[in-house]
Each structure stands twice: as C-alpha cells, then as structure tokens.
C-alpha cells in the first residue's frame, strides 16, 4: 500500500507519505487442507532488531492451516476478542494514525500485548451464522533459541523470572443474522480480566458499530498507539484502566463519497483518595470524509480530537491512499 | 540487481558483491489518474532503525500520482535541481561506489539532505520541450507519530528546538531541443543557497554532460558518500563549500563496448587568514570501460582518483553487474 | 517458507512459528552465460545493522555466473568443504533449530565464519562424476566503503590491525558413482586447519550419511548455533577443538511417512594438566518422524538430546512446515 498527503499535528502542517508491500503466500495439500502465511516486507528484521517483532520469529506476520476442522493461525495474530469484534472505523488517509489510532479498541491480549511469550495461536470455527474464536499464548517467557541464550552459560533466557508465566487467553463468540452481528468476548492476561461486547448493523447506506469493554485489574494498557503502564506512577498514586466504550458510523453514497464519524471514551479509576483532581476520562472523537477514485485509490481526510495528547489534541489529515 | 567482482581499495584487492530487489507498484484510476510507488527491500527497516530512512515512513522509496496536471511525488525523492540536471556518468561495476561516488553532484536539498523534516514533495510538469520542477519539505522538524512521541509526556518530539524550521525548497527548469538539453536550478536549505546549471549533448556515439554549481553559506555538505560539517571545525577555522563543476563523457560502440570518463572539482573557501595553507580544492577523475553481455548483464571496470580520501586516493574495480 | 507448532525446550512447551520469503532472480546472456542471485527478505537490513550480514553488502544472499567454465558464486556462500560434503539430516518441523542445529557440521570456513573479510567466492566445476570445489575470502579485513570509513579521517576501517589477514580458503573434491558419493576437503582459516571426509549412500528406502572432521589449532568454532571462543578461557586453561564425526540415516516410505536418525560427536582437547576433570566430548543425537501432506506441506516432529546445553539437554518439537 502507499499514501501521501498532509497531516496537521496541532501546530504545523507536515508532509506524510509511505509505501509498503505485503507477501501473501498460500497452498493446498492433496487432502484439501489449505495453508498459507503473510507478512509485510518491513516486518522481516529480526537480525537488526532482536528485541522487536519479526515475521522470521513468529512475532510479526502469521501462518495458518484451515480445513473442515476450522482455521488455526499462529504468529502475530489478533486475540479471539479482536477477531470477533474488530475495531471501530478508520478515519482519514492515514487511517487514524495521525491522531494515534483512536479507532483501535484496547484489547487485553494479542495485537502487541504479551509479545515476550512469543507467537499467539488463534482458532476459528464457523457454523450456521455462529462464529467461535479461541486464542492463547504459551504462558512461557523463556527463550531457548540460540540468539537469546545467555552466552557462556548456554542457558535459556527468561524474560521475567518472577513471572508466574500465566497463559494469556481469549474466548469469543459471535452471531450473524442478516445485516446484524453481535459478539461477546472474555480474556485473561496475567491478573487482568476483560469482558467486551460489540455489535454492528448495516442499514441502507449506514453502517453502525458499537462496543463496551470492562476491565479488571488492568494496569498496563495499549491506548491507541501509546503504551501506558499505570503501575509506573505507583509512588504517587495507583490507577486502574476500568472501562472503554465507543461508537462509529459510516455513510457511503453510491457515487463513491463517504462520511465517517467516531467517538470513544476510556475511563481510568484513580484509587487514591486525592485522585479526584486528576483527569479520569479520555475521550476521542472525529469526523472524516472520503472519495473513492477507483482502482484502489482513495482521497480521504479527517479531523480528530484525542484527549490522550498532552497538547495539540485536535489534529487533521488530508491526502490520497493507494492499494497496490 | 546484483553484482560481483574485485575492488582495489588502494592497498588491497577485495571481493565485493551484492544482491537487491526493488518493488515497483502502480495502478490507474477510472478517471485516468496514474499512481504508484517504489522501494527496495532493504529500505523497509523502520522498526529496527527508527532514526534512519524507511519506506514505511516516507524517508526512503516514494509514491506518486500523475495526470494531465503533471506528476506529484512524495517520499525520498530527489530535489527539483537533481530531477532537472541529474548526476554525471557512473563508472565501474560498482557504479562509482568503490571511489565514494564522485559522479554524484552535491545538491543542496533532497537525496538525503534534510531528512529530519520527513518526506520531500516533488512536482514535475512538461510541455513542448520545457520541463518544470519544484520540490519542498514541510519546514517542520517536529515528529508527532507515536513512535517518536516523548514517552510520559505524549508531546511531539522536536528534532531541533532552536531551528527556525525553514522550508527547504528547489525550483528548476529545463529545455530539450533535439539531442541537447539545458537546465537551471535555484535551491534554499536553511541559510544555504544553490544555483546550478547543467547541460547534455548526444553527438553520434558520444554523450557529454557538464555542470556548474555555486553555493552560498553552505557549511554542511554531502560530498559523494561523505557528509562534511564544515562548521565542526569552527574552533580552528571557518570553511564554506563554495562551488563545484565537472564533466563526463560516454562513448558507446555498436558492438556493446563503452568507454567513460569523468572529472569533478569541489572548491572550499577557508575564511581565516592562515587558511591558505590548507587544501581548498578536491578533484576526482577517472576512466572506465564496459561490455554489454546482453540480458541485463554488463562487464565493467574503472580507475578513479578521488582527492577526498586521506590516503589511497587511487582506486579501481572490475566485475560483472546484473539487472534482474 | 512457513511453519507452526510446539517446541519442548526441556522445561516448557512453547509455540513457535515463522514466515519468510526468498527472492530467486536469474537471467541468461545472449552468449549462453547464466547469472542470478538469491536472498531472503530478512537478509536485507544493512542500514539497520551495519555490523551484521546483509544481502546488499555481500554478506548474506549470493550472486553467481555459470557457463561451460563452471559456476562462480560470491556473497554468503558455503565453503568448498560444505559444498562438497553438506550437513547431516535435519530433524523436526524446525529443521533441528529447536536443539541448536546439531545436524550442522562445524566447517572451518564459510557459512558465518570469517565474515569480517566480506564476501566469500566459491567456484564449482563438474566432469564425468567428479565435482571440484574451491572457495576463498579476500584476506583483507579493511573496509573502505563510505559507511565504515573513520569519520573525519576518511581512512579505511581495519577490523583487526594485528591480523596478518590471511586468506581463508577451502578446496574439495567429490566423486559420484551410482547411488554413492564420497568427498574430501582441506581448509585453512588463520592458524586453523581442517580435513573432512564424508560420504552418502542411497540403498532402497534408506539414505545414510557420515563424516569425519579433523581440526588443527582451532580455537574458535561455531558449534551448531553457538559460537565458542576456546581462547577466551585462556586465563584458566587452554582448549582446542580437535575433531568431530557423525552419522545420519533417513528412511522414506512410499506413503509419505519418513523416519530420521542423527548422531554427532565433538571432541575438545583440554591442554592443561588438570584438564581431565572437564568435559571433553559433546554428543548430540536424536530421532524424528515426518509425514508429507503434499503441495509442500509436511508434518514433522523430533526428539534431540544435545549435550552442548548446560541444562534441559533433551528437547522436542512437533508441528507443520510449508514451502511456498
């Protein structure tokens, strides 16, 4: 994919462009088993960045096998919750990136959470409108590959010795009936717990999506593009990520013009007595417009206010994006 | 592309080989707008090298749209000056790399200059032999993407707070008549100013190219592969990169044999009184020969003397290069 | 290629998956000369990892030309010894990686050894069942490319000034007669010397391979995935890598089921008088099974005990691997 345009970062207008390519590889065995894998070129960089995610080491890109038994994927897959519910609508030619992706729901597992446990496995099974999803990590933070073995000792490297190495998992079920879809998910990751409900409705030119997520004992969270460790502030006060909910609406006209709206709220609970003084709700909302030029090219722009930013909360983008 | 052969580095003969691949992606909308992008596989490495150039972040590779209005590109594009005038002839199977690319003219903007401002935009328009070019950066060194936001504060990262964040731009015009081509360019980058004139002539088997570049207040320059910061030596004496000029000649026979010659001079002005003792002119010159094997394979070799090197100024290469 | 499955690291079961892609590029000149190159996407990362191996700089991937004169390759090629003899049989869906690749013979040159000398060249020539191989590096640890030049001085960077910069080379010859193959190789790398003999026999459903390697003055060795510098322990006692030998057997049934076995022994000589107390032999052995699903998909699993590991010597894997 590619894109080019202007981003207003709240203080300056900036050029912003990119070009990427993705490999989609697949095959089918004699017995009718499908298999495949996919990754972007920029996800292959293990040697240069051993601590980061890499398709060659199962923490970017993914592989799958599918057959009558369903579909089993492994690698940097989404959690069962995200597979069932997904995210809200993307706005602008940078797909929300100019405002730190407020359309992304902060799922407790998968999608960058819990990477130190290595690849995540995701299983999907569908029958008569019911979609079932289960995902899990292996619960081990040990890395016994040569590149991470402790030199001299040849012992496996343990990312977190104190960690009880709980399996992080997610279970979800969805039901489709006509133009409607509802889904429910439950996930665990360390002490954290997550319950998410979500639904979509496609009514004429409108597509509406909503979700409600309730978190328990969650002190580390990926809010959009930012990773918050609420425990970091322990010396001053203790904070829990409590719940999030939001709504997005898409309106698509036959002539290729579309309008999109988005609102998401994240509620943080400050556990100390004096906590009332601090901000405990982060809202993000925005509106976007797009025009489909055909052949995979789309003109798009959006304005988003995201209260996560310390300053320059209101940002905008306008440009063109391509699918190659 | 690929290549293999021997390089004489002035002291030793060394094996030198490489293999690379480039993606060229394109499409066309229903209304006749062309678009596309290109990057090499080795240009996708943002995550591993966040400070470096990356196609996924607009500082390597590029995307474009073109139509009756001309062509607009964004990313790691060349400046208007370089688009109009280009570089001198490449020598040897490593295309001048073995001697620090003396064929590259040190344009003031684009091509690696001013990367901290992010992507450069280049606009090109052609009518009846006249080629017009304009390029610019956004003049902002702030980076508001999540990966560069100051952790904790969520404030945008400013590469240079004191910088007046001037837009770096370049304007150029060229005129083609038969086998001749002339071009003129003016560029600004911070305090620096650049005027370049260049021309090519194709006469029978000969192709001749010359240029003259005049710089003003230029204290940082990319000379071939090397980045000089003349201001670094301020404690001892002050130096300005003043002007450069050069000439290259190609001679191509019908049987696939070609001979190439190159000469370039860079003049540096030492502003202090005692400066006369120091070297103030850097010459580079060389001669090469090539033989076209067909199907994209070429045997080539060259000898170049480049006074930029502190020692081993005379270097040579001989080998085979491939276009895949 | 891609793969997914479970690895037992001796203490925990872990998910392990990956997906990669390789470019194979080739052409043929008008005069019948073949040329080409190949590299994996994850091998293109010079900019992010200048000290590491990169296809764009000749230390990963390779290019070749071949014709009636034989085949000449350059880049990250194997040594003549490895080209003639190869490695033992790979076990499991991770191809032995889960147990630090005990199937890999620790050849003295090529395949990661002596990288600082840049690309290795390999020449191969075959006539009437006789295969001749010769490989060498350029014997120079100087790097004169701009990216490694010492900034300010513009002098070439010398990786090891005291090094006598010996050429590392390897010579090998093999002879094939029917289903049998024998090969002999001699290599030098610095002070180190290597003599290896190897042979394979294909008898009905069985394929048997054996080798014997004798080393002289070898103090640095790549044992499987681990790099040992026996000289590091000089303050306490001096150790030499003395010899290695091993055997592998493959049994392939017509129905796609295969069974593999592997045994390798490495002998280390402890030169001090009190050395008898230390371990001086490292064995690795294992057994694997596989089932060919067709279309490039294979189910495979293996159990290997590798005494190189300080703990958890017995490891296992089971999963599925794909060729795309």
């Amino acid at each position: 994919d590619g894109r080019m345009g202007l981003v207003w970062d709240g203080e300056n207008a900036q050029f912003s462009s990119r070009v990427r390519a993705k490999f989609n590889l697949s095959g089918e065995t004699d017995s009718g088993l499908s298999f495949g894998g996919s990754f972007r070129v920029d996800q292959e960089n293990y040697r240069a960045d051993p601590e980061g995610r890499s398709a060659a080491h199962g923490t970017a890109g993914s592989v799958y096998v599918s057959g009558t038994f369903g579909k089993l994927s492994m690698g940097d897959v989404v959690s069962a919750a995200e597979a069932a519910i997904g995210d809200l609508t993307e706005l602008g030619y940078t797909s929300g990136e100019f405002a730190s992706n407020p359309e992304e729901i902060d799922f407790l597992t998968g999608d960058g959470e819990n990477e130190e446990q290595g690849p995540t496995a995701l299983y999907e099974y569908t029958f008569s409108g019911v979609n079932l999803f289960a995902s899990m990590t292996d619960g081990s933070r040990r890395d016994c590959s040569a590149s991470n073995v402790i030199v001299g000792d040849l012992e496996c490297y343990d990312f977190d010795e104190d960690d009880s190495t709980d399996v992080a998992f997610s279970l979800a079920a969805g039901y489709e009936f006509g133009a409607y879809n509802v889904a429910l998910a439950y996930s665990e990751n360390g002490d954290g717990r997550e319950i998410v409900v979500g639904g979509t409705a496609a009514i004429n030119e409108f597509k509406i999506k909503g979700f409600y997520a309730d978190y328990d004992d969650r002190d580390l969270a990926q809010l959009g593009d930012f990773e918050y460790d609420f425990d970091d502030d322990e010396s001053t006060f203790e904070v829990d990520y409590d719940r999030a909910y939001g709504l997005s609406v898409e309106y698509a006209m036959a002539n290729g013009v579309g309008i999109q709206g988005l609102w998401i709220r994240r509620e943080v609970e400050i556990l100390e007595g004096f906590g009332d003084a601090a901000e405990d709700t982060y809202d993000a909302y925005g509106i976007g417009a797009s025009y489909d030029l055909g052949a995979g090219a789309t003109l798009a722009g959006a304005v988003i206010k995201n209260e996560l930013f310390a300053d320059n909360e209101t940002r905008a983008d306008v440009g063109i994006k391509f699918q190659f």
Side-chain angles (χ1 to χ4, degrees), chain A residues 219-304:
Chain A
D219 51 16
L220 180 69
Q222 190 85 18
L223 300 192
D225 288 348
F226 302 110
E227 189 167 274
Y228 277 73
D229 187 349
F230 292 117
D231 254 8
D232 270 357
D233 299 320
E234 215 171 339
S235 60
T236 37
F237 52 83
E238 209 186 320
V239 178
D240 257 21
Y241 187 11
D242 235 33
R243 70 183 65 83
Y245 41 95
L247 195 74
S248 68
V249 181
E250 289 175 72
Y251 177 68
M253 286 184 267
N255 59 5
V257 173
I259 295 172
Q260 303 89 29
L262 163 81
W263 169 72
I264 188 171
R265 170 170 289 174
R266 284 121 165 181
E267 290 186 15
V268 160
E269 193 184 355
I270 297 155
L271 302 177
E272 312 296 321
F274 63 90
D276 296 342
E279 185 74 49
D280 59 359
T281 300
Y282 296 93
D283 275 22
Y285 42 91
I287 190 160
S290 62
Y291 180 61
D292 186 353
L293 296 165
T298 307
L299 269 174
V303 181
I304 295 179

Side-chain angles (χ1 to χ4, degrees), chain A residues 87-111:
Chain A
D87 291 317
L88 297 177
T89 295
E90 295 176 339
L91 267 61
Y93 89 99
T94 60
S95 305
E97 206 178 291
F98 71 100
S100 181
N101 292 315
E103 80 283 358
E104 290 200 3
I105 301 175
D106 312 320
F107 291 104
L108 184 68
T109 63
D111 202 16

Side-chain angles (χ1 to χ4, degrees), chain A residues 23-65:
Chain A
F23 293 98
N24 285 295
L25 311 156
S26 63
E28 190 173 324
T29 69
D30 309 339
S31 58
L33 203 68
S34 294
F35 60 89
S38 65
F39 66 97
R40 287 202 318 272
V41 173
D42 53 330
Q43 290 176 327
E44 278 286 22
N45 45 24
Y46 173 76
R47 179 173 275 269
D49 178 26
E51 306 293 311
R53 293 154 81 175
S54 163
H57 282 245
T59 46
S62 61
V63 287
Y64 70 86
V65 279

Side-chain angles (χ1 to χ4, degrees), chain A residues 301-319:
Chain A
V303 181
I304 295 179
K305 179 178 163 86
N306 189 344
E307 295 180 357
L308 278 183
F309 293 115
D311 54 0
N312 309 124
E313 296 176 349
T314 303
R315 301 185 179 188
D317 78 347
V318 59

